Amino acid sequence: MYISNELSNVSIQWTVICCHEYKRLSRTKWRIDFHYKCGAEMTLEDVSDDMIQCLILGAYNSKKEMKTNIGKVSISSSSVVLPIDDWKTLQPLIVS
């Protein structure tokens, strides 16, 4: 499933672990920059929409404290039943 064009630069930060930065390279390809608290860093290029969806779904479902730049994302919302298992359900929550 295709990720909305409204998402082009996504940053998810787990306060005590790491920060993932997702940057759209083309319609369906992304670059992911991983920054870990221990100082380690890694970059993956030409990652497909499907992988980005899996990583963002995993982040959302982890129930760990996180900050993001993709609109209002509340993992403690009583209206959302976790885990969310598909992108169709999650995307409307993070794209206004």
Side-chain angles (χ1 to χ4, degrees), residues 1-5 7 23-31 45-53:
M1 179 173 292
Y2 177 63
I3 295 176
S4 167
N5 278 332
L7 292 178
K23 295 181 180 151
R24 187 185 295 272
L25 300 175
S26 69
R27 182 178 169 273
T28 60
K29 295 295 181 182
W30 295 73
R31 180 177 74 230
E45 298 242 358
D46 295 326
V47 178
S48 71
D49 271 359
D50 291 341
M51 176 61 95
I52 300 301
Q53 291 173 23

mmCIF file of all heavy atoms in Angstrom, residues 1-5 7 23-31 45-53:
data_model
loop_
_atom_site.group_PDB
_atom_site.id
_atom_site.type_symbol
_atom_site.label_atom_id
_atom_site.label_comp_id
_atom_site.label_asym_id
_atom_site.label_seq_id
_atom_site.Cartn_x
_atom_site.Cartn_y
_atom_site.Cartn_z
ATOM 1 N N MET A 1 0.846 -1.178 0.000
ATOM 2 C CA MET A 1 0.000 0.000 0.000
ATOM 3 C C MET A 1 0.889 1.237 0.000
ATOM 4 O O MET A 1 1.913 1.293 0.643
ATOM 5 C CB MET A 1 -0.910 0.001 1.220
ATOM 6 C CG MET A 1 -1.785 1.223 1.280
ATOM 7 S SD MET A 1 -2.998 1.149 2.585
ATOM 8 C CE MET A 1 -4.009 -0.141 1.941
ATOM 9 N N TYR A 2 0.457 2.238 -0.702
ATOM 10 C CA TYR A 2 1.215 3.470 -0.884
ATOM 11 C C TYR A 2 1.050 4.425 0.296
ATOM 12 O O TYR A 2 -0.041 4.592 0.818
ATOM 13 C CB TYR A 2 0.732 4.128 -2.175
ATOM 14 C CG TYR A 2 1.356 5.453 -2.481
ATOM 15 C CD1 TYR A 2 2.722 5.548 -2.712
ATOM 16 C CD2 TYR A 2 0.593 6.595 -2.525
ATOM 17 C CE1 TYR A 2 3.303 6.763 -2.992
ATOM 18 C CE2 TYR A 2 1.166 7.812 -2.806
ATOM 19 C CZ TYR A 2 2.526 7.893 -3.036
ATOM 20 O OH TYR A 2 3.091 9.103 -3.309
ATOM 21 N N ILE A 3 2.143 5.042 0.712
ATOM 22 C CA ILE A 3 2.110 6.027 1.790
ATOM 23 C C ILE A 3 1.747 7.393 1.202
ATOM 24 O O ILE A 3 2.304 7.801 0.191
ATOM 25 C CB ILE A 3 3.480 6.115 2.497
ATOM 26 C CG1 ILE A 3 3.792 4.790 3.195
ATOM 27 C CG2 ILE A 3 3.512 7.257 3.497
ATOM 28 C CD1 ILE A 3 5.154 4.730 3.848
ATOM 29 N N SER A 4 0.843 8.079 1.831
ATOM 30 C CA SER A 4 0.396 9.398 1.390
ATOM 31 C C SER A 4 1.560 10.340 1.129
ATOM 32 O O SER A 4 2.551 10.341 1.863
ATOM 33 C CB SER A 4 -0.513 10.010 2.458
ATOM 34 O OG SER A 4 -0.724 11.367 2.197
ATOM 35 N N ASN A 5 1.433 11.169 0.088
ATOM 36 C CA ASN A 5 2.452 12.178 -0.198
ATOM 37 C C ASN A 5 2.607 13.179 0.929
ATOM 38 O O ASN A 5 3.600 13.899 0.980
ATOM 39 C CB ASN A 5 2.105 12.937 -1.487
ATOM 40 C CG ASN A 5 2.525 12.176 -2.713
ATOM 41 O OD1 ASN A 5 3.465 11.392 -2.687
ATOM 42 N ND2 ASN A 5 1.808 12.385 -3.798
ATOM 43 N N LEU A 7 3.252 12.536 3.821
ATOM 44 C CA LEU A 7 4.375 12.073 4.635
ATOM 45 C C LEU A 7 5.613 12.020 3.753
ATOM 46 O O LEU A 7 5.716 11.200 2.865
ATOM 47 C CB LEU A 7 4.106 10.674 5.206
ATOM 48 C CG LEU A 7 3.016 10.564 6.245
ATOM 49 C CD1 LEU A 7 2.841 9.114 6.667
ATOM 50 C CD2 LEU A 7 3.326 11.412 7.453
ATOM 51 N N LYS A 23 13.130 9.699 5.101
ATOM 52 C CA LYS A 23 13.062 10.767 4.102
ATOM 53 C C LYS A 23 12.691 10.168 2.755
ATOM 54 O O LYS A 23 13.357 9.253 2.270
ATOM 55 C CB LYS A 23 14.392 11.499 4.019
ATOM 56 C CG LYS A 23 14.702 12.211 5.307
ATOM 57 C CD LYS A 23 15.987 12.974 5.269
ATOM 58 C CE LYS A 23 16.158 13.622 6.635
ATOM 59 N NZ LYS A 23 17.484 13.833 7.026
ATOM 60 N N ARG A 24 11.627 10.710 2.169
ATOM 61 C CA ARG A 24 11.168 10.210 0.873
ATOM 62 C C ARG A 24 12.170 10.608 -0.210
ATOM 63 O O ARG A 24 12.517 11.768 -0.355
ATOM 64 C CB ARG A 24 9.790 10.776 0.547
ATOM 65 C CG ARG A 24 9.161 10.180 -0.687
ATOM 66 C CD ARG A 24 7.841 10.863 -1.032
ATOM 67 N NE ARG A 24 6.815 10.653 -0.039
ATOM 68 C CZ ARG A 24 5.969 9.624 -0.026
ATOM 69 N NH1 ARG A 24 6.052 8.691 -0.942
ATOM 70 N NH2 ARG A 24 5.046 9.537 0.907
ATOM 71 N N LEU A 25 12.618 9.624 -1.000
ATOM 72 C CA LEU A 25 13.519 9.870 -2.121
ATOM 73 C C LEU A 25 12.756 9.956 -3.440
ATOM 74 O O LEU A 25 13.158 10.660 -4.348
ATOM 75 C CB LEU A 25 14.574 8.757 -2.222
ATOM 76 C CG LEU A 25 15.477 8.570 -0.996
ATOM 77 C CD1 LEU A 25 16.379 7.361 -1.196
ATOM 78 C CD2 LEU A 25 16.299 9.820 -0.740
ATOM 79 N N SER A 26 11.684 9.181 -3.537
ATOM 80 C CA SER A 26 10.841 9.164 -4.731
ATOM 81 C C SER A 26 9.441 8.753 -4.293
ATOM 82 O O SER A 26 9.175 8.632 -3.108
ATOM 83 C CB SER A 26 11.398 8.189 -5.777
ATOM 84 O OG SER A 26 11.258 6.855 -5.322
ATOM 85 N N ARG A 27 8.589 8.489 -5.242
ATOM 86 C CA ARG A 27 7.202 8.143 -4.904
ATOM 87 C C ARG A 27 7.114 6.952 -3.945
ATOM 88 O O ARG A 27 6.294 6.927 -3.044
ATOM 89 C CB ARG A 27 6.421 7.851 -6.186
ATOM 90 C CG ARG A 27 4.978 7.532 -5.943
ATOM 91 C CD ARG A 27 4.238 7.293 -7.265
ATOM 92 N NE ARG A 27 2.941 6.740 -7.006
ATOM 93 C CZ ARG A 27 2.691 5.441 -6.874
ATOM 94 N NH1 ARG A 27 3.655 4.559 -6.984
ATOM 95 N NH2 ARG A 27 1.469 5.026 -6.628
ATOM 96 N N THR A 28 7.975 5.962 -4.131
ATOM 97 C CA THR A 28 7.884 4.749 -3.306
ATOM 98 C C THR A 28 9.191 4.359 -2.617
ATOM 99 O O THR A 28 9.257 3.297 -2.009
ATOM 100 C CB THR A 28 7.416 3.549 -4.159
ATOM 101 O OG1 THR A 28 8.368 3.339 -5.208
ATOM 102 C CG2 THR A 28 6.039 3.787 -4.737
ATOM 103 N N LYS A 29 10.217 5.167 -2.712
ATOM 104 C CA LYS A 29 11.508 4.829 -2.100
ATOM 105 C C LYS A 29 11.893 5.855 -1.040
ATOM 106 O O LYS A 29 11.649 7.050 -1.187
ATOM 107 C CB LYS A 29 12.620 4.759 -3.162
ATOM 108 C CG LYS A 29 12.428 3.656 -4.171
ATOM 109 C CD LYS A 29 12.520 2.299 -3.524
ATOM 110 C CE LYS A 29 12.349 1.213 -4.570
ATOM 111 N NZ LYS A 29 12.392 -0.108 -4.011
ATOM 112 N N TRP A 30 12.519 5.369 0.021
ATOM 113 C CA TRP A 30 12.869 6.186 1.172
ATOM 114 C C TRP A 30 14.318 5.956 1.595
ATOM 115 O O TRP A 30 14.910 4.931 1.270
ATOM 116 C CB TRP A 30 11.985 5.793 2.355
ATOM 117 C CG TRP A 30 10.540 6.063 2.173
ATOM 118 C CD1 TRP A 30 9.671 5.374 1.371
ATOM 119 C CD2 TRP A 30 9.771 7.073 2.797
ATOM 120 N NE1 TRP A 30 8.416 5.900 1.479
ATOM 121 C CE2 TRP A 30 8.445 6.949 2.352
ATOM 122 C CE3 TRP A 30 10.077 8.078 3.710
ATOM 123 C CZ2 TRP A 30 7.431 7.787 2.784
ATOM 124 C CZ3 TRP A 30 9.062 8.916 4.141
ATOM 125 C CH2 TRP A 30 7.757 8.762 3.668
ATOM 126 N N ARG A 31 14.855 6.905 2.378
ATOM 127 C CA ARG A 31 16.124 6.721 3.078
ATOM 128 C C ARG A 31 15.809 6.743 4.565
ATOM 129 O O ARG A 31 15.020 7.563 5.031
ATOM 130 C CB ARG A 31 17.111 7.842 2.748
ATOM 131 C CG ARG A 31 18.448 7.633 3.483
ATOM 132 C CD ARG A 31 19.495 8.671 3.156
ATOM 133 N NE ARG A 31 19.167 9.917 3.816
ATOM 134 C CZ ARG A 31 19.130 11.102 3.212
ATOM 135 N NH1 ARG A 31 19.384 11.220 1.930
ATOM 136 N NH2 ARG A 31 18.841 12.188 3.897
ATOM 137 N N GLU A 45 19.296 3.117 2.160
ATOM 138 C CA GLU A 45 18.735 3.870 1.037
ATOM 139 C C GLU A 45 17.859 2.966 0.184
ATOM 140 O O GLU A 45 18.022 1.748 0.186
ATOM 141 C CB GLU A 45 19.859 4.445 0.169
ATOM 142 C CG GLU A 45 20.733 5.415 0.908
ATOM 143 C CD GLU A 45 20.696 6.815 0.326
ATOM 144 O OE1 GLU A 45 20.018 7.041 -0.686
ATOM 145 O OE2 GLU A 45 21.364 7.674 0.908
ATOM 146 N N ASP A 46 16.958 3.576 -0.543
ATOM 147 C CA ASP A 46 16.049 2.878 -1.461
ATOM 148 C C ASP A 46 15.180 1.838 -0.762
ATOM 149 O O ASP A 46 14.966 0.744 -1.262
ATOM 150 C CB ASP A 46 16.827 2.231 -2.630
ATOM 151 C CG ASP A 46 17.476 3.272 -3.512
ATOM 152 O OD1 ASP A 46 16.887 4.363 -3.679
ATOM 153 O OD2 ASP A 46 18.573 3.006 -4.039
ATOM 154 N N VAL A 47 14.685 2.191 0.394
ATOM 155 C CA VAL A 47 13.805 1.322 1.170
ATOM 156 C C VAL A 47 12.372 1.534 0.665
ATOM 157 O O VAL A 47 11.947 2.656 0.427
ATOM 158 C CB VAL A 47 13.907 1.656 2.677
ATOM 159 C CG1 VAL A 47 12.971 0.788 3.488
ATOM 160 C CG2 VAL A 47 15.343 1.507 3.148
ATOM 161 N N SER A 48 11.634 0.450 0.511
ATOM 162 C CA SER A 48 10.276 0.532 -0.044
ATOM 163 C C SER A 48 9.256 1.040 0.979
ATOM 164 O O SER A 48 9.477 0.976 2.181
ATOM 165 C CB SER A 48 9.830 -0.840 -0.543
ATOM 166 O OG SER A 48 9.590 -1.693 0.554
ATOM 167 N N ASP A 49 8.124 1.519 0.455
ATOM 168 C CA ASP A 49 7.002 1.946 1.294
ATOM 169 C C ASP A 49 6.600 0.863 2.285
ATOM 170 O O ASP A 49 6.282 1.146 3.430
ATOM 171 C CB ASP A 49 5.777 2.272 0.428
ATOM 172 C CG ASP A 49 5.743 3.713 -0.040
ATOM 173 O OD1 ASP A 49 6.643 4.483 0.303
ATOM 174 O OD2 ASP A 49 4.782 4.059 -0.736
ATOM 175 N N ASP A 50 6.596 -0.391 1.835
ATOM 176 C CA ASP A 50 6.171 -1.495 2.708
ATOM 177 C C ASP A 50 7.022 -1.582 3.973
ATOM 178 O O ASP A 50 6.507 -1.796 5.062
ATOM 179 C CB ASP A 50 6.225 -2.836 1.964
ATOM 180 C CG ASP A 50 5.174 -2.949 0.887
ATOM 181 O OD1 ASP A 50 4.187 -2.185 0.915
ATOM 182 O OD2 ASP A 50 5.323 -3.814 0.006
ATOM 183 N N MET A 51 8.337 -1.422 3.826
ATOM 184 C CA MET A 51 9.219 -1.496 4.989
ATOM 185 C C MET A 51 8.983 -0.311 5.923
ATOM 186 O O MET A 51 8.955 -0.464 7.148
ATOM 187 C CB MET A 51 10.686 -1.528 4.558
ATOM 188 C CG MET A 51 11.642 -1.498 5.727
ATOM 189 S SD MET A 51 11.440 -2.916 6.833
ATOM 190 C CE MET A 51 12.682 -3.982 6.189
ATOM 191 N N ILE A 52 8.788 0.882 5.358
ATOM 192 C CA ILE A 52 8.515 2.063 6.176
ATOM 193 C C ILE A 52 7.224 1.852 6.967
ATOM 194 O O ILE A 52 7.147 2.156 8.151
ATOM 195 C CB ILE A 52 8.412 3.334 5.297
ATOM 196 C CG1 ILE A 52 9.711 3.579 4.533
ATOM 197 C CG2 ILE A 52 8.031 4.548 6.145
ATOM 198 C CD1 ILE A 52 10.941 3.752 5.379
ATOM 199 N N GLN A 53 6.205 1.314 6.307
ATOM 200 C CA GLN A 53 4.938 1.032 6.983
ATOM 201 C C GLN A 53 5.154 0.093 8.155
ATOM 202 O O GLN A 53 4.640 0.327 9.249
ATOM 203 C CB GLN A 53 3.937 0.420 6.008
ATOM 204 C CG GLN A 53 3.446 1.382 4.959
ATOM 205 C CD GLN A 53 2.587 0.701 3.916
ATOM 206 O OE1 GLN A 53 2.013 -0.352 4.159
ATOM 207 N NE2 GLN A 53 2.497 1.304 2.749
#
